[in-house]
Amino acid sequence: MTSSPSANPEHRVSTGERINIQRRGGRLQKQLAARGIRLTHQRRVLLQVMETARRHLDAGGLLRRARRMHPGITRVTVYRTIDLLKRHGLIDELDLLHLRGDRHFYESHGPRDHIHVACLRCGRVREFESRLYEKLKEQIAKDCGIRITITRTEVGGYCAACQD
Amino acid sequence: MTSSPSANPEHRVSTGERINIQRRGGRLQKQLAARGIRLTHQRRVLLQVMETARRHLDAGGLLRRARRMHPGITRVTVYRTIDLLKRHGLIDELDLLHLRGDRHFYESHGPRDHIHVACLRCGRVREFESRLYEKLKEQIAKDCGIRITITRTEVGGYCAACQD
DNA sequence: ATAGATGCAAATATTTTGCCGCCAG
DNA sequence: CTGGCGGCAAAATATTTGCATCTAT
């Protein structure tokens, strides 16, 4: 990761710094609140970043964006928050077929389960939903006698625009 | 992730793993040879380890086993060989839903594509093949206009024996 | 003979942990 | 008030790279 010197500016930010994150907490924030989990300023920032991200972010990406809103936030907090959300099943962890290295990417776990379809050339990632996928999961659950709680399907190849 | 003490699926290998690599190279060895790739002693050992492994191994596991046959082999060679095989599409890389930490596991890319079904409690991993899965891939290829070259599906849950 | 592989050590990258002061509830 | 949380630094893991030497072909 880029060793951002970060200049160590006065991190006496404290709550005095007014940021309009508070209002209108998203799904994740509501979920945590409903479970009686403490909502710190840092967590609110991170939840907001996750919920508004257009593309999949890894820990470093989350940190960079979160810092734009709350400069004092640290990498450790990012990891701890990711861990919290994973434990509560509120986010999914992907690696996108290692297309962009060996880090992990995160996305808010929406109501619909989807497949990630990535182009190995241009790197574009598309989300794909399918009844067939649901059926496949049912088949697995039945045939393997397993109660499924997580699923992850990633597909790589060459998209129409990147065909040889 | 909080360190789960859980199963340490280390040794469950039969004892006298007698070594005799050279004769009758396996599929991987043949594939590399056919491509005119140099077959060093270290590579032969690693290929053999991969082809005969009963469970999924990560880089460290491959190294440990390879050393039993060729003590001088190094971690670097393991990584470089993994990389070689990946580039040639001869092995698949999994992470088994991070069930056992953030490392990667490898398996010789057989003729049949399968799904990995893992129990989050006992850690057992089962391989599952399905016509439905093939159909799903066809649907993705068609609907997304993509020529698929890699797929990975991992499913986690609680197996019959580990049901609450 | 020689392109390409390995070993060694050190560099990178990524994630986790111990400790302590601080803040949300 | 107080127990959980965040910051800091350092540790633990995981993987890659530079370079000299060796080897499969």
Side-chain angles (χ1 to χ4, degrees):
Chain A
M1 184 93 357
T2 41
S3 53
S4 54
S6 77
N8 203 350
E10 38 220 287
H11 42 71
R12 273 287 61 99
V13 189
S14 83
T15 41
E17 183 158 339
R18 192 202 77 260
I19 305 169
N20 41 350
I21 301 145
Q22 318 292 37
R23 61 180 171 190
R24 180 178 80 243
R27 200 189 70 87
L28 291 178
Q29 191 170 139
K30 284 196 179 68
Q31 287 287 316
L32 288 187
R35 292 162 203 236
I37 287 167
R38 191 177 293 187
L39 282 171
T40 62
H41 188 194
Q42 289 93 327
R43 281 185 183 168
R44 278 186 228 265
V45 169
L46 281 167
L47 299 180
Q48 163 127 347
V49 168
M50 287 188 180
E51 286 177 333
T52 60
R54 291 234 198 100
R55 56 188 204 83
H56 299 108
L57 297 173
D58 69 331
L62 289 170
L63 177 64
R64 240 172 290 121
R65 295 214 181 173
R67 280 223 217 250
R68 300 216 273 260
M69 296 198 265
H70 183 109
I73 208 166
T74 65
R75 191 173 294 277
V76 177
T77 297
V78 173
Y79 280 113
R80 287 200 270 233
T81 302
I82 286 171
D83 194 49
L84 175 77
L85 294 167
K86 271 201 299 186
R87 286 200 318 272
H88 285 270
L90 297 173
I91 56 172
D92 287 324
E93 187 175 48
L94 328 165
D95 59 28
L96 300 178
L97 294 163
H98 307 286
L99 210 64
R100 291 147 80 191
D102 290 331
R103 45 220 161 129
H104 301 137
F105 299 90
Y106 302 91
E107 70 180 3
S108 170
H109 179 93
R112 303 181 153 288
D113 198 7
H114 54 259
I115 293 166
H116 288 97
V117 183
C119 176
L120 301 174
R121 178 115 62 199
C122 67
R124 191 190 297 266
V125 179
R126 172 174 164 180
E127 305 191 341
F128 185 79
E129 288 175 26
S130 160
R131 277 272 297 138
L132 216 47
Y133 190 39
E134 301 307 315
K135 280 204 165 291
L136 174 62
K137 288 188 288 184
E138 285 167 26
Q139 188 191 52
I140 294 166
K142 190 172 152 229
D143 290 14
C144 296
I146 192 172
R147 183 163 58 79
I148 295 176
T149 58
I150 320 177
T151 60
R152 193 157 95 206
T153 295
E154 299 177 332
V155 172
Y158 295 93
C159 73
C162 291
Q163 220 73 246
D164 295 353
Chain B
M1 188 70 70
T2 33
S3 53
S4 69
S6 65
N8 182 347
E10 218 27 68
H11 298 304
R12 81 161 197 225
V13 197
S14 51
T15 29
E17 220 164 350
R18 183 54 64 199
I19 318 123
N20 211 328
I21 310 131
Q22 316 296 36
R23 62 176 173 192
R24 186 180 69 249
R27 200 188 70 87
L28 292 176
Q29 192 169 140
K30 284 197 180 68
Q31 287 287 315
L32 288 186
R35 291 162 204 237
I37 286 167
R38 191 176 293 186
L39 281 171
T40 61
H41 187 196
Q42 290 91 327
R43 280 184 183 167
R44 279 186 227 267
V45 170
L46 280 166
L47 299 180
Q48 162 125 349
V49 168
M50 286 188 182
E51 287 177 332
T52 60
R54 293 235 197 102
R55 56 185 204 86
H56 300 107
L57 297 173
D58 67 333
L62 289 169
L63 177 65
R64 240 171 291 123
R65 294 213 183 174
R67 277 221 218 254
R68 301 216 272 260
M69 298 198 263
H70 182 109
I73 207 167
T74 66
R75 190 173 295 276
V76 178
T77 297
V78 173
Y79 280 113
R80 287 201 269 232
T81 302
I82 285 171
D83 196 48
L84 175 79
L85 294 167
K86 270 202 300 187
R87 284 199 320 270
H88 285 269
L90 297 174
I91 55 171
D92 287 323
E93 187 175 45
L94 326 165
D95 59 24
L96 299 179
L97 294 163
H98 307 286
L99 210 66
R100 290 141 84 189
D102 291 331
R103 45 215 161 136
H104 301 137
F105 299 89
Y106 302 91
E107 69 180 1
S108 170
H109 180 94
R112 303 181 155 287
D113 198 8
H114 54 259
I115 293 166
H116 288 97
V117 183
C119 176
L120 302 175
R121 177 114 62 201
C122 67
R124 191 191 297 266
V125 178
R126 174 175 163 180
E127 305 191 341
F128 185 78
E129 287 175 28
S130 160
R131 276 272 298 135
L132 217 47
Y133 190 40
E134 300 307 316
K135 280 205 165 288
L136 174 62
K137 288 188 287 186
E138 284 167 26
Q139 188 191 51
I140 294 167
K142 190 171 152 230
D143 290 13
C144 296
I146 192 172
R147 183 163 57 79
I148 296 176
T149 58
I150 320 177
T151 60
R152 194 157 93 206
T153 295
E154 299 176 333
V155 171
Y158 296 93
C159 74
C162 292
Q163 219 73 247
D164 295 353

